[in-house]
Amino acid sequence: MSGRVKRERDSRPLSVRSSLSSRGPQEPGGEGGAPRGLRVKREPADEEPRVKQEPLDEEDDDDEPTVKYGRFDPEDRRSRHCPYLDTINKSVLDFDFEKLCSISLSHINVYACLVCGKYFQGRGLKSHAYIHSVQFSHHVFLNLHTLKFYCLPDNYEIIDSSLEDITYVLKPTFTKQHISNLDKQAKLSRAYDGTTYLPGIVGLNNIKANDYANAILQALSNVPPLRNYFLEEENYKNIKRPPGDIMFLLVQRFGELMRKLWNPRNFKAHVSPHEMLQAVVLCSKKNFQITKQGDGVDFLSWFLNALHSALGGTKKKKKTIVTDVFQGSMRIFTKKLPHPDLPAEEKEQLLQNDEYQEKMVESTFMYLTLDLPTAPLYKDEKEQLIIPQVPLFNILAKFNGITEKEYKTYKENFLKRFQLTKLPPYLIFCIKRFTKNNFFVEKNPTIVNFPITNVDLREYLSEEVQAVHKNTTYDLIANIVHDGKPTEGAYRIHVLHHGTGKWYELQDLQVTDILPQMITLSEAYIQIWKRRDSKEETNQQGA
């Protein structure tokens, strides 16, 4: 036997013999006291390997057995106990960032070092991960794509049930039963670092100026049907997209973020939306950025439409989960007005023309824009402390089918009125706080007084539509607030946790509980309301 092994070693190229012999017998991980130099490993593509030839920076064939003492031992790589598992440092592991090699910046075949948390490419003899393992004596690595663990430089796969929590953090999975119980649970989860958190009520990193996107993402992650759809990757994994379509990246990243936000076994009580935001920057062609403050309503509008389109939805016929949850419809009545400078007689003549008659179109909407009354321009000393207030139902009157509002364009003026014809299961209000002109953006600080529950929108529907709509009562589930100046302000969000029935305020990484009465005192900017179904209405009355 020993003679056969010697002949095999001597027949190999000099570079291989020297690299093996230089490792010496003292390296950990050997079996039966045999010298490490007798164990033949897989080698890079530029030499002649005994088992299989493959390029260095492509996926390794993980089922390929190693050669041990000149013969195949298929069980060798899978059954060996790894002596380095206690060197894993879970406190440094962070899988929220882009899966790029920290040296080559390649996203192909990337491994995470579980000792220091850095990402490296490949695991062959000349790869960055291999060099890192030899240089720093870091031995345990995770393939971020296949979710398999390896010991380097020995290059064998580690099979150990104690590593399952690491793969779950990297790629959380949810069963149908788990998803159906999410809104019934009030149980706190304990992160690896010792902090406790409620799944779903989790802070998001503000990388530089992305709090506007954080607030929207946290609001959408607390809309149950949308959340449930994205928690199950099977729902959208097989949607066919044209070659080179980058917009589907938005869907994948949003699903990943949703699963991380609702993960009951996180290592830390917050999540970084880095990969999600990278996809936003790319798919929006840099209209929305991480380093520059954006507008929450603009981002929400773009994001919902981009998600709908990426899921294969169309404007009219093909629906998606986005339209099922948020899309309603309305009638828009438009009447053209004569130019105000014209003589009265000429105006009257023009109003007889067909062009100036009222026209009606049916239109869908993802959210309703509510207009605030103009804030007073001048205040005396006593009025300095008075902030104007307006009841929610006053600004909702825009949609009662009677109230007319004038809209001016560069050339023409129109009178419009709106009437709702279909109410979606989740209704989004965007309160128009900002007025833009050529010189600056002005913010209206008016406080909107609204009840947290039991907002009935029946009166905003026409009589024939009221007969079809049984349930028209809504309860608030998310309230996004803008504080400060128009261009320098910050966003925060109030969210209802369905399991506990409590309200929480989230501002980037900060998560605090809040009394419902305090929510109505804020400068609400975007709100999401949930329609009650018949069962809930009965329960509310019984309570």
Side-chain angles (χ1 to χ4, degrees):
M1 171 62 119
S2 60
R4 195 177 88 184
V5 172
K6 182 149 188 353
R7 276 198 306 276
E8 284 184 357
R9 284 186 64 210
D10 291 345
S11 67
R12 303 190 57 82
L14 178 62
S15 58
V16 176
R17 296 209 307 275
S18 61
S19 71
L20 289 172
S21 60
S22 66
R23 298 264 300 282
Q26 71 278 10
E27 277 197 46
E31 285 185 41
R36 173 61 62 202
L38 296 183
R39 182 178 171 79
V40 182
K41 302 294 183 298
R42 233 185 321 173
E43 292 139 47
D46 57 353
E47 303 180 28
E48 291 182 6
R50 282 213 171 272
V51 185
K52 184 178 177 182
Q53 186 167 352
E54 55 188 338
L56 181 73
D57 57 350
E58 290 184 8
E59 284 295 343
D60 297 296
D61 185 356
D62 295 312
D63 296 322
E64 176 202 326
T66 51
V67 179
K68 183 180 177 185
Y69 301 112
R71 57 194 171 84
F72 288 116
D73 184 357
E75 296 301 313
D76 178 63
R77 296 176 66 200
R78 296 181 176 276
S79 59
R80 287 182 56 179
H81 171 69
C82 180
Y84 302 113
L85 292 187
D86 60 348
T87 64
I88 294 173
N89 185 359
K90 291 179 183 176
S91 61
V92 300
L93 299 184
D94 190 345
F95 302 124
D96 294 343
F97 291 91
E98 210 169 355
K99 311 296 188 286
L100 291 178
C101 172
S102 57
I103 296 172
S104 68
L105 301 182
S106 169
H107 62 274
I108 298 168
N109 200 21
V110 178
Y111 290 77
C113 172
L114 302 186
V115 183
C116 65
K118 291 178 182 175
Y119 295 169
F120 299 98
Q121 185 180 18
R123 68 170 201 272
L125 284 180
K126 294 178 184 174
S127 67
H128 298 300
Y130 184 95
I131 293 165
H132 175 78
S133 73
V134 173
Q135 192 173 359
F136 294 97
S137 295
H138 292 177
H139 299 288
V140 191
F141 290 79
L142 167 62
N143 185 308
L144 296 174
H145 178 65
T146 64
L147 308 188
K148 291 184 179 182
F149 296 87
Y150 294 93
C151 180
L152 294 180
D154 295 347
N155 203 8
Y156 58 84
E157 185 182 347
I158 305 165
I159 306 290
D160 197 299
S161 58
S162 67
L163 300 171
E164 284 175 8
D165 58 342
I166 296 175
T167 52
Y168 194 85
V169 166
L170 174 57
K171 196 167 185 179
T173 51
F174 292 80
T175 62
K176 282 185 165 56
Q177 187 179 359
H178 186 181
I179 292 170
S180 64
N181 290 329
L182 283 178
D183 293 330
K184 299 169 190 169
Q185 291 175 346
K187 188 181 170 187
L188 285 167
S189 291
R190 184 175 292 277
Y192 179 76
D193 60 7
T195 52
T196 55
Y197 67 96
L198 268 173
I201 308 295
V202 176
L204 287 174
N205 275 7
N206 187 351
I207 296 161
K208 188 169 181 186
N210 54 278
D211 52 323
Y212 71 98
N214 285 357
I216 299 296
L217 295 170
Q218 281 165 325
L220 294 177
S221 74
N222 279 278
V223 175
L226 190 74
R227 172 202 69 199
N228 295 353
Y229 178 87
F230 280 97
L231 287 181
E232 273 194 279
E233 199 177 356
E234 294 297 316
N235 290 331
Y236 50 88
K237 197 166 76 173
N238 298 321
I239 291 175
K240 290 178 181 174
R241 300 300 301 158
D245 175 45
I246 60 163
M247 295 305 285
F248 199 70
L249 188 65
L250 213 59
V251 174
Q252 292 168 323
R253 293 286 181 261
F254 186 57
E256 287 168 14
L257 179 67
M258 205 72 83
R259 289 189 286 277
K260 285 175 181 176
L261 287 172
W262 285 91
N263 182 1
R265 291 154 56 185
N266 265 331
F267 283 174
K268 52 193 188 309
H270 63 270
V271 172
S272 173
H274 188 265
E275 284 193 291
M276 175 76 244
L277 295 172
Q278 291 280 52
V280 165
V281 173
L282 183 67
C283 295
S284 70
K285 296 176 181 171
K286 298 187 179 178
N287 281 338
F288 299 102
Q289 297 189 28
I290 301 171
T291 55
K292 189 179 169 188
Q293 185 69 281
D295 181 84
V297 173
D298 290 347
F299 177 67
L300 174 68
S301 176
W302 172 82
F303 188 69
L304 290 180
N305 284 297
L307 266 191
H308 170 64
S309 176
L311 287 167
T314 56
K315 281 190 177 179
K316 291 185 178 177
K317 290 185 179 177
K318 206 166 181 185
K319 294 191 170 186
T320 63
I321 184 66
V322 179
T323 50
D324 289 345
V325 172
F326 295 117
Q327 193 177 76
S329 62
M330 66 167 86
R331 290 182 188 139
I332 304 173
F333 300 88
T334 309
K335 189 194 291 181
K336 188 177 175 182
L337 294 176
H339 196 280
D341 296 339
L342 291 173
E345 290 177 13
E346 200 173 329
K347 280 185 186 174
E348 281 180 29
Q349 280 182 336
L350 285 172
L351 287 171
Q352 304 304 315
N353 295 349
D354 187 50
E355 188 187 349
Y356 289 85
Q357 301 307 305
E358 188 172 69
K359 293 175 177 62
M360 188 271 285
V361 292
E362 291 270 357
S363 176
T364 56
F365 64 84
M366 289 282 198
Y367 61 89
L368 295 176
T369 303
L370 306 182
D371 303 315
L372 290 173
T374 309
L377 290 174
Y378 304 103
K379 299 175 184 177
D380 59 29
E381 289 175 14
K382 290 181 183 177
E383 283 183 330
Q384 277 293 331
L385 300 173
I386 298 172
I387 298 172
Q389 298 187 26
V390 60
L392 175 67
F393 290 100
N394 283 22
I395 55 176
L396 271 172
K398 171 183 178 179
F399 299 100
N400 61 11
I402 303 163
T403 306
E404 291 184 319
K405 187 168 190 255
E406 191 172 343
Y407 289 83
K408 297 181 179 181
T409 64
Y410 181 67
K411 290 182 177 179
E412 299 168 319
N413 295 353
F414 295 93
L415 267 184
K416 290 191 177 188
R417 57 191 179 94
F418 307 89
Q419 188 167 43
L420 303 179
T421 55
K422 182 192 169 191
L423 292 170
Y426 288 81
L427 183 60
I428 302 176
F429 290 157
C430 295
I431 297 163
K432 195 174 179 185
R433 292 206 169 270
F434 300 104
T435 313
K436 298 174 185 175
N437 60 32
N438 293 336
F439 304 104
F440 59 90
V441 180
E442 191 178 6
K443 183 180 175 184
N444 188 328
T446 302
I447 298 289
V448 178
N449 297 320
F450 54 89
I452 298 289
T453 58
N454 211 24
V455 170
D456 193 352
L457 300 179
R458 182 165 289 278
E459 64 181 278
Y460 304 104
L461 301 169
S462 60
E463 287 181 12
E464 71 270 18
V465 176
Q466 284 181 18
V468 180
H469 264 70
K470 290 180 182 175
N471 305 310
T472 56
T473 305
Y474 284 81
D475 300 320
L476 187 70
I477 62 164
N479 180 57
I480 295 173
V481 180
H482 183 275
D483 298 307
K485 295 178 182 178
T487 50
E488 303 166 11
Y491 285 84
R492 57 192 165 101
I493 178 173
H494 304 126
V495 170
L496 174 67
H497 186 264
H498 294 83
T500 59
K502 290 182 180 176
W503 281 89
Y504 291 87
E505 180 175 280
L506 294 88
Q507 184 162 19
D508 298 327
L509 293 177
Q510 294 177 345
V511 180
T512 51
D513 50 359
I514 186 171
L515 293 170
Q517 304 90 288
M518 301 300 291
I519 295 168
T520 59
L521 303 176
S522 58
E523 293 180 23
Y525 187 34
I526 300 167
Q527 297 181 329
I528 302 180
W529 297 77
K530 177 182 184 287
R531 189 176 67 200
R532 286 186 196 168
D533 61 24
S534 303
K535 239 186 272 179
E536 286 177 78
E537 205 139 18
T538 311
N539 292 345
Q540 292 278 348
Q541 287 166 356

